[in-house]
Amino acid sequence: MTRFQHSSIKRKLTSIIMLTSCIALLLACCAFLIYERSSFRSDLVLQMSTLAEIAVKESTATLTFDRPEDAQRILSNLSSDDQIIGACIYKGGKPWAKFPPSLKDESLPLNPETPGHRFEKDRLLLFKTIQDPDNGEQIGVLLLESTFGRIDSRIRRSAGIVSVVLVLAMVVALVLSARLQRVISGPILKLSDTARTVSEKKDYDVRAQKESEDEVGVLIDSFNEMLTQIQKRDMELQEARVVSERANQAKSNFLSFMSHELRTPLTSIIGFSEMLITEVQAEGRREWADDLRRVHDSGRYLLELINDILDISKIEAGKMDVHLETFDLGALVRDLRDVMRPLVERKQNQLVFECTEGIGSMQGDRIKVRQCLLNLLSNASKFTEQGIITLSARRTQRNGLDWLIFDVKDTGIGMTAEQLGKLFRAFTQADETTSRRYGGTGLGLALTKRFCQMMGGDVTVSSELGRGSTFTIELPA
């Protein structure tokens, strides 16, 4: 992991810690200010209630003897409290005495309410009942009107203090978050570096260092356990690969030895069968000639099979060589026509060759090119009856180089997409039904694929079930 990525992770962790801390502090400050405002209001109601009690006791006699001037003087004593902006005594439901005298009746409530208080915009209205001390009957109502000036001042002062505390707390949170993020990011960054080292060097002996028993420690334990399992699986795969390579080498050596041991007597059988066929035909024993021809054909088929197995084993053992020579493509095509004519006529197929004039020569392994084309033509003939088999050859330019394109097209049974997926595997047929009906070992197409790749080219196929297939060989000229 680069230094830039480390810094990016650290910045993200610091931002998360800072954001969380700031949100928590901001919510705490808002809650504090709301509580302060509510507490200030409660204190104001309690303070005004106390003043109202005193004013009620002093003004009871003035109501009883109907002396509004004395009542107004009592109310004027309330001016010592700068929060009170107005006071009024109601008698008979109408203003009877008020302070200050300039207070207009229109600004006062018309009908005094029952004892209690209410808040209106930026002021407090508190009502207190005045009772006759002799019979307890209500003789008037006292109204005190107070502003929130002192509350607002205290709120502003508290808000200022809270703002200073919030800024200081944010600075402290920033410093602490920069330090605390190391506790979180440090083990994670080390774990990330360990994972990168394992990924780049494929070294599963590396282990992440555990520094704590928290969630990060559990993550590191899980990571180390995963590396242990991967290391164990990797060792098992390495051991299995070595065993497989040894077995494959032993198989290749065995096949090579056995193929040579079998080819010698088979060559003799094929040779003697040809001589016997010539002799019995000269004697006119036709039935003997047919039997001997079957022996001859079976020997030739077995020899071709052994040759294919030997070629596969050589390729797998890395002992197959490419022998370059310059040869004429026209002559190669004529040779293929002569070889394929009996196979094609046996199933009443029509063989068509489409080669451009002057296709010229090719520098490559003539035997392998011939074997690839012969495999594809034989394959097409095997799966086509009373149809058309076409071999076309053309030369093209790619990136300033000459390439030869060979197409082998048939009108046979075709293949499905699933069959195409396993077409070029050794010892594999399209499916069991095809193998039982048409025979074959599944080596021809596998060898064709590998020969083409060894010569710097490739072979591809396109097919449609019931309408035939087209195999395309592309080789550098």
Side-chain angles (χ1 to χ4, degrees), residues 151-216:
I151 293 180
D152 293 339
S153 176
R154 292 177 62 181
I155 290 293
R156 285 192 296 271
R157 186 170 59 253
S158 298
I161 296 173
V162 166
S163 300
V164 173
V165 172
L166 181 61
V167 171
L168 294 176
M170 290 176 63
V171 173
V172 173
L174 178 61
V175 175
L176 291 178
S177 63
R179 294 181 176 275
L180 291 176
Q181 59 87 18
R182 300 174 188 171
V183 178
I184 302 174
S185 64
I188 295 178
L189 293 176
K190 291 181 181 178
L191 180 62
S192 177
D193 291 336
T194 303
R196 179 179 54 82
T197 302
V198 172
S199 177
E200 291 179 353
K201 299 182 179 179
K202 308 299 181 185
D203 184 5
Y204 300 109
D205 290 328
V206 179
R207 292 294 182 271
Q209 185 177 358
K210 182 178 178 182
E211 299 179 355
S212 62
E213 298 294 335
D214 55 6
E215 290 80 0
V216 178

Side-chain angles (χ1 to χ4, degrees), residues 275-286 288-289 292:
M275 294 172 56
L276 289 172
I277 290 172
T278 303
E279 291 180 3
V280 297
Q281 284 179 341
E283 295 177 1
R285 297 182 180 275
R286 191 170 182 177
W288 289 8
L292 289 170

Side-chain angles (χ1 to χ4, degrees), residues 143-331:
L143 166 64
L144 292 183
E145 184 177 355
S146 174
T147 65
F148 292 165
R150 189 176 298 176
I151 293 180
D152 293 339
S153 176
R154 292 177 62 181
I155 290 293
R156 285 192 296 271
R157 186 170 59 253
S158 298
I161 296 173
V162 166
S163 300
V164 173
V165 172
L166 181 61
V167 171
L168 294 176
M170 290 176 63
V171 173
V172 173
L174 178 61
V175 175
L176 291 178
S177 63
R179 294 181 176 275
L180 291 176
Q181 59 87 18
R182 300 174 188 171
V183 178
I184 302 174
S185 64
I188 295 178
L189 293 176
K190 291 181 181 178
L191 180 62
S192 177
D193 291 336
T194 303
R196 179 179 54 82
T197 302
V198 172
S199 177
E200 291 179 353
K201 299 182 179 179
K202 308 299 181 185
D203 184 5
Y204 300 109
D205 290 328
V206 179
R207 292 294 182 271
Q209 185 177 358
K210 182 178 178 182
E211 299 179 355
S212 62
E213 298 294 335
D214 55 6
E215 290 80 0
V216 178
V218 174
L219 177 62
I220 292 176
D221 285 338
S222 301
F223 179 78
N224 289 336
E225 178 63 24
M226 180 185 68
L227 288 180
T228 302
Q229 295 295 331
I230 294 175
Q231 184 182 24
K232 180 180 178 182
R233 186 71 55 83
D234 186 65
M235 293 176 61
E236 292 174 354
L237 290 176
Q238 292 290 344
E239 293 175 357
R241 184 178 63 84
V242 172
V243 173
S244 176
E245 289 177 351
R246 291 175 180 173
N248 189 53
Q249 186 65 39
K251 179 202 71 174
S252 298
N253 294 335
F254 173 78
L255 289 175
S256 178
F257 173 77
M258 289 303 298
S259 63
H260 285 294
E261 291 295 317
L262 291 173
R263 279 198 296 184
T264 301
L266 275 176
T267 303
S268 300
I269 291 173
I270 293 170
F272 281 119
S273 64
E274 289 176 348
M275 294 172 56
L276 289 172
I277 290 172
T278 303
E279 291 180 3
V280 297
Q281 284 179 341
E283 295 177 1
R285 297 182 180 275
R286 191 170 182 177
E287 67 278 5
W288 289 8
D290 292 338
D291 292 338
L292 289 170
R293 194 172 287 110
R294 292 190 186 94
V295 173
H296 176 270
D297 292 343
S298 297
R300 290 292 299 269
Y301 175 76
L302 185 57
L303 182 60
E304 291 176 358
L305 177 60
I306 292 174
N307 287 333
D308 288 344
I309 294 175
L310 181 60
D311 287 340
I312 284 289
S313 64
K314 283 183 177 180
I315 293 174
E316 291 178 347
K319 298 179 179 180
M320 178 65 72
D321 297 323
V322 176
H323 302 283
L324 297 179
E325 60 179 302
T326 302
F327 58 93
D328 182 61
L329 289 173

Side-chain angles (χ1 to χ4, degrees), residues 354-370:
E354 298 176 350
C355 296
T356 57
E357 292 294 335
I359 192 170
S361 62
M362 174 182 181
Q363 186 181 24
D365 192 322
R366 182 182 181 278
I367 296 176
K368 289 182 174 57
V369 174
R370 180 183 183 276

Side-chain angles (χ1 to χ4, degrees), residues 416-472:
T416 64
E418 181 181 359
Q419 292 170 339
L420 289 174
K422 54 184 179 181
L423 192 61
F424 295 104
R425 300 176 187 172
F427 303 101
T428 302
Q429 289 278 11
D431 54 40
E432 295 181 358
T433 304
T434 303
S435 179
R436 287 195 299 267
R437 180 177 177 183
Y438 296 98
T441 60
L443 288 175
L445 291 178
L447 278 173
T448 300
K449 182 81 169 179
R450 298 190 184 188
F451 282 164
C452 290
Q453 291 175 343
M454 288 177 65
M455 291 185 288
D458 202 0
V459 57
T460 57
V461 60
S462 61
S463 182
E464 185 177 351
L465 188 63
R467 302 192 65 174
S469 306
T470 300
F471 287 83
T472 301

Side-chain angles (χ1 to χ4, degrees), residues 390-404:
T390 305
L391 170 62
S392 63
R394 66 186 186 276
R395 189 182 294 267
T396 186
Q397 288 280 328
R398 289 183 183 173
N399 299 324
L401 300 176
D402 285 341
W403 282 75
L404 290 168

Side-chain angles (χ1 to χ4, degrees), residues 116-129:
H117 68 275
R118 73 170 185 268
F119 294 97
E120 287 186 357
K121 296 182 180 178
D122 57 348
R123 61 178 183 166
L124 167 66
L125 299 179
L126 186 141
F127 299 91
K128 193 72 174 178
T129 303

